[in-house]
Amino acid sequence: MAVDDRRDHRRAATPQRSGPRRRRRPTSGAAAHETVLRDVMDQWKSAVDAHEPETVAALFTEDAAFQGPHPYSVGRPGVAAYYDSQPIGLTAEYRALETRSLPPTAGTSSTTR
């Protein structure tokens, strides 16, 4: 009786997962935008959880309009001040319910010189 050792070897080399499988990262179109969003949101969550207000603020644009429970602010210093005022031990959670792509011209100036 012959045994195919190669097949047994491949099966043994493939790790078996217990628990839920992780989703593969999408790589094109709208799925790629979702990947970028999740990467940024994961960075935000990590910085909030670690109470690193400057790191959180660096994820925002320099002219970000930010409105938390504190007064409205514009710019990264206001974002950092808000997150610095949060209690140590605060953790963040998020869930993306929907993503949308802006048209290529969105956010650009329409004026020419």
Side-chain angles (χ1 to χ4, degrees):
M1 172 187 257
V3 176
D4 185 355
D5 290 311
R6 289 175 296 167
R7 192 170 81 175
D8 293 340
H9 176 70
R10 277 181 279 158
R11 185 174 297 139
T14 304
Q16 299 298 314
R17 294 180 186 244
S18 60
R21 290 182 178 252
R22 294 182 74 182
R23 289 192 298 165
R24 289 183 177 213
R25 298 240 182 219
T27 57
S28 65
H33 292 133
E34 184 178 331
T35 297
V36 171
L37 174 66
R38 288 189 188 283
D39 288 344
V40 172
M41 293 304 297
D42 287 344
Q43 292 175 53
W44 169 81
K45 178 186 175 4
S46 293
V48 169
D49 292 355
H51 195 78
E52 297 173 347
E54 295 297 327
T55 303
V56 174
L59 296 169
F60 288 77
T61 61
E62 291 180 21
D63 62 347
F66 185 79
Q67 183 177 356
H70 295 286
Y72 173 91
S73 66
V74 176
R76 290 179 180 147
V79 175
Y82 169 77
Y83 283 102
D84 191 40
S85 72
Q86 299 306 301
I88 302 291
L90 174 78
T91 59
E93 294 294 327
Y94 75 91
R95 182 174 56 153
L97 300 177
E98 181 178 351
T99 61
R100 297 183 198 168
S101 297
L102 296 175
T105 59
T108 60
S109 174
S110 61
T111 60
T112 57
R113 293 183 186 192

